[in-house]
């Protein structure tokens, strides 16, 4: 199929590009490089020996986006482009709504105009807010605690309404849990700007000596060891989940929503131990106060994706840490 991948130069997008190319699809990436480097795509081309058509374009630029759709006949769009830093979103809510929500509306308008009605959207477990229980199933109540999460919820609603208005659309909302790890080659991986917000890239930077120690946000949660529990999923498993979602779309599946996680919860301290084992480096840490907005425990019920997509995450926590370490230790300063 001929696929447009928005945000394809980013962390998850670049891994998805690799899997889509290896599966024989033709791909075009639209990315404004606001949080990524073109180098990631060059490396994907080198690993796969295949080519990517690239446009350095913002999805808010209607005229350019329209031109891209006029020049290409896409079968489907995988929509990763978006801003994703929770803390930043509380300081710059308008930028987040403009970029994520208006960007998606723009994209869908142009898709509609060109009669491209298949879209897979990167949603997030953040749409479950603070869940009443775990594991979290797709039918759980939705809420948002910050502008980033609200932008994801709004986009989900917009895409639902779009489908209700015209059932020729096929929409798959994929709710990712916590993506970590990197491609086995060690050539592509997560490349955060500045101080990482997320646990895994922070631990990796402590391991290479770029940061002194990890600050653990609270050890008084009602969890196995008091630290926060999350469902970490290998980014390659996540990328493969998109391939399966695309297969689903081919059967005119309508509107579908799936959790993509492993179904297992690991604490911050368990992640530190697993990373020490993978890297043979000591990760110094200190416990500090809870981070505002964090929840105690979050992991997925993945039975729906297992059943309907025939998808299951295969890579365990040791592989996630080993692959993250390979990427980080071979690329001390990222791309
Ligand atoms: P990323 O920042 O690495 O990738 C996003 C890409 O989109 C970047 O390359 C960026 O340059 C591009 N982009 C942003 N705004 C754009 C715009 N207006 N026009 C064109 N390109 C634009 O992030 P990621 O971790 O790869 O996340 C991909 C998607 O998955 C995002 O939508 C994110 O919200 C979602 N998601 C990520 C996580 C996570 O923990 N990484 C969890 C749940 C959901
Ligand atoms: N943590 C620390 N120290 C750090 C960073 C994180 O102790 O320096 C802890 C957090 O308190 C939490 C766990 O590690 O218990 C994971 O935190 P992350 O920031 O890596 O991930 P979150 O679960 O907070 O959020 C991530 C993304 C969100 C997304 C969510 C679900 O940042 O955008 O996963 O997909 F919505």
């Amino acid at each position: 199929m001929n696929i447009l991948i928005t945000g394809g130069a980013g962390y998850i997008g670049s891994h998805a590009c690799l899997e889509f190319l290896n599966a024989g699809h033709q791909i075009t990436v639209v990315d404004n490089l606001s949080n990524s480097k073109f180098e990631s795509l060059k490396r994907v081309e080198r690993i796969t020996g295949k080519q990517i058509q690239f446009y350095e374009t913002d999805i808010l630029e209607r005229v350019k986006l329209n031109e891209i759709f006029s020049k290409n006949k896409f079968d489907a769009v995988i929509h990763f482009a978006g801003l994703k830093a929770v803390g930043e979103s509380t300081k710059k809510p308008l930028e987040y709504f403009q970029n994520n929500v208006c960007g998606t509306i723009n994209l869908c308008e142009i898709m509609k105009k060109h009669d491209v009605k298949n879209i897979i959207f990167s949603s997030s477990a953040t749409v479950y807010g603070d869940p009443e229980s775990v594991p979290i199933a797709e039918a759980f109540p939705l809420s948002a605690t910050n502008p980033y999460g609200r932008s994801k919820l709004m986009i989900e609603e917009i895409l639902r309404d779009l489908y209700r208005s015209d059932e020729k659309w096929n929409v798959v909302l994929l709710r990712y849990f916590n993506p970590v790890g990197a491609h086995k080659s060690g050539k592509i991986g997560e490349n955060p700007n500045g101080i990482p917000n997320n646990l895994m890239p922070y631990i990796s930077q402590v391991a290479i000596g770029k940061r002194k120690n990890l600050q653990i946000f609270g050890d008084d949660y009602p969890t196995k060891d008091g630290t926060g529990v999350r469902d970490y999923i290998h980014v390659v498993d996540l990328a493969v989940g998109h391939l399966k979602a695309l297969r689903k779309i081919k059967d005119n599946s309508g509107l579908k929503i799936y959790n993509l996680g492993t179904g297992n919860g690991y604490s911050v301290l368990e992640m530190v131990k697993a990373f020490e084992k993978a890297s043979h480096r000591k990760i110094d840490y200190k416990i500090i106060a809870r981070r505002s907005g964090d929840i105690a425990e979050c992991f997925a019920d993945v039975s729906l994706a297992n059943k309907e997509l025939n998808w299951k995450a295969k890579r365990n926590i040791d592989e996630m840490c080993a692959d993250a370490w390979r990427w980080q230790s071979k690329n001390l300063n990222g791309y």
Side-chain angles (χ1 to χ4, degrees):
M1 288 170 100
N2 191 11
I3 314 291
L4 172 66
I5 304 191
T6 74
Y11 171 45
I12 305 171
S14 54
H15 287 82
C17 285
L18 196 155
E19 295 304 319
F20 277 83
L21 286 174
N22 278 343
H25 296 288
Q26 204 178 318
I27 64 171
T28 297
V29 167
V30 166
D31 198 305
N32 64 1
L33 302 182
S34 60
N35 196 38
S36 54
K37 299 261 163 54
F38 180 57
E39 176 65 17
S40 64
L41 294 177
K42 283 203 264 181
R43 294 192 185 184
V44 170
E45 289 188 328
R46 252 178 269 142
I47 298 166
T48 58
K50 295 181 180 174
Q51 279 195 325
I52 297 171
Q53 175 170 233
F54 177 66
Y55 294 95
E56 185 175 343
T57 301
D58 195 303
I59 55 166
L60 286 162
E61 291 183 70
R62 293 179 71 90
V63 175
K64 284 199 188 163
L65 206 55
N66 190 50
E67 269 171 30
I68 295 169
F69 274 80
S70 299
K71 282 190 200 142
N72 299 276
K73 178 79 195 93
F74 298 120
D75 298 302
V77 175
I78 322 285
H79 179 30
F80 293 104
L83 299 175
K84 62 163 184 177
V86 173
E88 184 185 62
S89 79
T90 61
K91 300 205 173 67
K92 300 180 175 173
L94 297 179
E95 278 94 327
Y96 271 67
F97 292 126
Q98 173 77 9
N99 193 78
N100 295 2
V101 180
C102 299
T104 304
I105 294 174
N106 229 11
L107 174 68
C108 290
E109 278 175 348
I110 307 240
M111 288 175 68
K112 185 176 163 204
K113 182 170 165 203
H114 293 268
D115 202 29
V116 180
K117 294 186 173 173
N118 296 320
I119 184 167
I120 298 175
F121 172 63
S122 301
S123 189
S124 164
T126 192
V127 299
Y128 297 114
D130 193 351
E132 269 179 22
S133 60
V134 280
I136 304 169
E138 287 82 353
F140 272 34
L142 305 179
S143 67
T145 50
N146 56 68
Y148 165 72
R150 218 159 348 262
S151 77
K152 291 290 176 193
L153 265 183
M154 286 177 182
I155 297 167
E156 284 204 0
E157 291 296 348
I158 290 166
L159 293 173
R160 259 192 210 102
D161 282 341
L162 188 56
Y163 168 70
R164 285 189 196 119
S165 73
D166 173 1
E167 292 190 358
K168 288 200 195 84
W169 280 87
N170 291 297
V171 175
V172 183
L173 308 177
L174 295 178
R175 295 181 180 150
Y176 312 155
F177 280 66
N178 289 56
V180 296
H183 186 256
K184 269 260 160 302
S185 61
K187 292 193 163 66
I188 58 169
E190 192 169 7
N191 186 36
N193 273 331
I195 302 173
N197 296 306
N198 296 117
L199 181 66
M200 188 63 121
Y202 204 105
I203 292 181
S204 309
Q205 293 195 2
V206 173
I208 54 164
K210 195 165 172 181
R211 316 245 162 239
K212 196 163 143 263
N213 56 31
L214 170 71
Q215 299 191 321
I216 296 183
F217 303 136
D219 66 350
D220 56 352
Y221 285 104
T223 57
K224 44 187 145 187
D225 58 23
T227 64
V229 167
R230 296 290 183 275
D231 186 339
Y232 297 94
I233 171 167
H234 197 295
V235 65
V236 173
D237 281 326
L238 194 65
V240 171
H242 292 71
L243 269 177
K244 300 280 188 165
L246 186 66
R247 240 175 252 169
K248 186 87 192 159
I249 275 186
K250 276 199 208 156
D251 311 330
N252 279 320
S253 51
L255 175 80
K256 293 283 177 186
I257 305 171
Y258 300 106
N259 285 339
L260 294 185
T262 63
N264 303 311
Y266 286 92
S267 73
V268 177
L269 287 171
E270 285 174 327
M271 292 304 285
V272 167
K273 276 209 193 82
F275 203 91
E276 286 181 332
K277 187 171 135 201
S279 64
H280 305 287
R281 301 274 172 107
K282 175 101 187 72
I283 307 297
D284 286 326
Y285 65 82
K286 69 173 183 222
I287 311 283
I288 63 161
R290 290 181 179 193
R291 178 170 68 179
S292 135
D294 272 358
I295 58 175
E297 203 165 22
C298 171
F299 57 91
D301 177 339
V302 288
S303 48
L304 196 63
N306 287 177
K307 188 169 142 228
E308 294 194 5
L309 296 180
N310 189 25
W311 171 90
K312 210 177 172 128
K314 289 185 184 148
R315 294 160 180 84
N316 65 21
I317 209 76
D318 293 329
E319 208 169 340
M320 296 179 209
C321 291
D323 291 343
W325 174 240
R326 188 177 307 105
W327 153 253
Q328 182 68 82
S329 54
K330 282 179 152 189
N331 301 269
L332 296 178
N333 293 308
Y335 290 114

